[in-house]
Amino acid sequence: MAAVEDTATAAARAAAKRKIASLAFWSIVIAFLVMGLKFVAWQMTGSVALYSDALESIVNVITAAAALWAIRISHKPADSDHPFGHHKAEYFSAVLEGVLIVVAALLIIAKVWQSLQSPASLEQPWQGLAINAGAALVNAVWAFVLIRNGRSERSPALVADGQHIMTDVLTSVGVIVGLVAAVMTGWHILDPLLALLVALNILYQGWKLTGESLSGLMDRAVDTQEHMQIRDIISANSKGALEVHDLKTRIAGRATFIEFHLVVDADMTVGASHVICDRIEDALKAEIPSVRVTIHVEPDDEAKLPKGTTAVPFA
């Protein structure tokens, strides 16, 4: 039975790996498509705001390629040099994306400064805005797909890519609305001012994304809700044990690492305690994707709760 379960788990992981890699590959294709559309829109109009939008799409291409590389590395099995696996590789991709977003923002600010010196009217504004709107729609659909699948498969690289693209969508919407106002009112100064707002928003998103990714590299614990879920699962499946204490968790990419001490009667056999450990581990694997469980079994003289305690066996 265990062999069948292991085979099923391996098959599920392989399917998830193929799905994530496929999404990462198509992100590159779509990023190139959107980048092309946005540069066409900029060339048609000469708008600094559309230039800023197009420049950010270059970052999308680079980071989509970096995400694909990171995902492939993170799915490599554990080896002698990396006995805990390569899960954290995806965080490096997310950090790179944050840094490149900041670089793009600085380039946009330089372009804005030049444009403020001599604001100019837009050429073929409606055609350019229509093309940019089409690119934004493609991005919105793809961002939704990446974020939804990235969260379900616990892939930081896909989630980061999707969130960045969604930021790009919001930026595009703001630019389009602002440029429509500029064309209707004749206030050409709105074009570089919109580009400046885009740059400031990109700076904020880049800072936020980099901070979140660095947090992941620092072995961040699971959130409070998931921590309580883990406690409940262990408590519900620890019948025969006396106590659980020193529960620790950490997240590394898709994987969640859980370790704790399980206190049993000193006279309990190794086999009997192993049965309890297997029951707890199987329950955790059934509820938490890509979990790695380490249980340290201890005799009752290591307990932290008073003898005879009938509460949930957690210290």
Side-chain angles (χ1 to χ4, degrees):
M1 182 66 180
V4 174
E5 290 177 352
D6 290 343
T7 302
T9 300
R13 287 179 182 172
K17 175 182 177 181
R18 289 192 297 269
K19 180 179 179 181
I20 294 172
S22 176
L23 288 168
F25 169 78
W26 281 105
S27 276
I28 300 175
V29 175
I30 291 174
F32 269 112
L33 171 64
V34 171
M35 180 182 70
L37 290 173
K38 289 187 175 184
F39 270 100
V40 168
W42 166 55
Q43 289 289 345
M44 291 180 68
T45 62
S47 165
V48 182
L50 291 184
Y51 166 80
S52 68
D53 209 9
L55 191 63
E56 188 181 4
S57 66
I58 296 177
V59 178
N60 290 350
V61 173
I62 296 173
T63 53
L68 178 59
W69 169 84
I71 286 168
R72 286 180 172 174
I73 295 296
S74 70
H75 279 88
K76 290 175 63 177
D79 53 36
S80 57
D81 292 328
H82 305 88
F84 292 99
H86 302 76
H87 308 289
K88 288 188 178 181
E90 293 193 37
Y91 289 117
F92 289 103
S93 169
V95 170
L96 172 64
E97 185 165 348
V99 171
L100 289 177
I101 289 172
V102 172
V103 171
L106 296 176
L107 291 175
I108 293 169
I109 291 173
K111 186 72 173 179
V112 168
W113 176 252
Q114 295 176 6
S115 180
L116 283 173
Q117 309 307 308
S118 53
S121 60
L122 305 182
E123 302 175 7
Q124 304 182 64
W126 301 118
Q127 296 93 323
L129 287 172
I131 292 174
N132 211 67
L137 180 61
V138 171
N139 261 349
V141 173
W142 190 243
F144 174 77
V145 171
L146 287 179
I147 293 173
R148 184 186 64 182
N149 286 279
R151 286 174 176 167
S152 65
E153 302 297 337
R154 299 187 67 134
S155 171
L158 285 185
V159 173
D161 201 16
Q163 289 175 338
H164 175 217
I165 293 174
M166 188 57 74
T167 301
D168 193 18
V169 172
L170 297 176
T171 298
S172 296
V173 171
V175 165
I176 291 169
V177 172
L179 287 179
V180 168
V183 173
M184 298 293 289
T185 61
W187 296 347
H188 305 311
I189 193 69
L190 286 177
D191 183 29
L193 290 179
L194 281 170
L196 180 60
L197 291 176
V198 170
L200 294 176
N201 180 57
I202 292 172
L203 275 174
Y204 169 73
Q205 295 299 330
W207 175 264
K208 180 180 176 183
L209 178 58
T210 303
E212 291 175 351
S213 302
L214 290 175
S215 175
L217 288 172
M218 295 298 291
D219 286 337
R220 178 175 55 86
V222 301
D223 59 34
T224 302
Q225 182 178 354
E226 189 167 2
H227 182 86
M228 296 309 298
Q229 179 192 10
I230 291 170
R231 281 179 59 110
D232 291 343
I233 293 171
I234 295 173
S235 294
N237 293 275
S238 58
K239 183 179 180 180
L242 302 177
E243 177 186 296
V244 176
H245 59 245
D246 292 349
L247 172 63
K248 298 176 182 177
T249 63
R250 65 183 178 91
I251 299 173
R254 304 177 314 284
T256 298
F257 290 84
I258 300 172
E259 63 177 73
F260 57 89
H261 294 189
L262 182 74
V263 179
V264 300
D265 192 295
D267 295 327
M268 180 177 286
T269 65
V270 173
S273 63
H274 188 67
V275 169
I276 300 173
C277 292
D278 281 347
R279 186 169 65 241
I280 296 172
E281 188 172 349
D282 290 343
L284 288 168
K285 288 181 177 179
E287 296 293 330
I288 302 172
S290 300
V291 71
R292 308 289 190 274
V293 184
T294 302
I295 305 175
H296 179 67
V297 178
E298 296 181 328
D300 50 21
D301 59 357
E302 295 292 333
K304 295 184 177 181
L305 290 173
K307 288 187 176 181
T309 299
T310 57
V312 175
F314 261 91

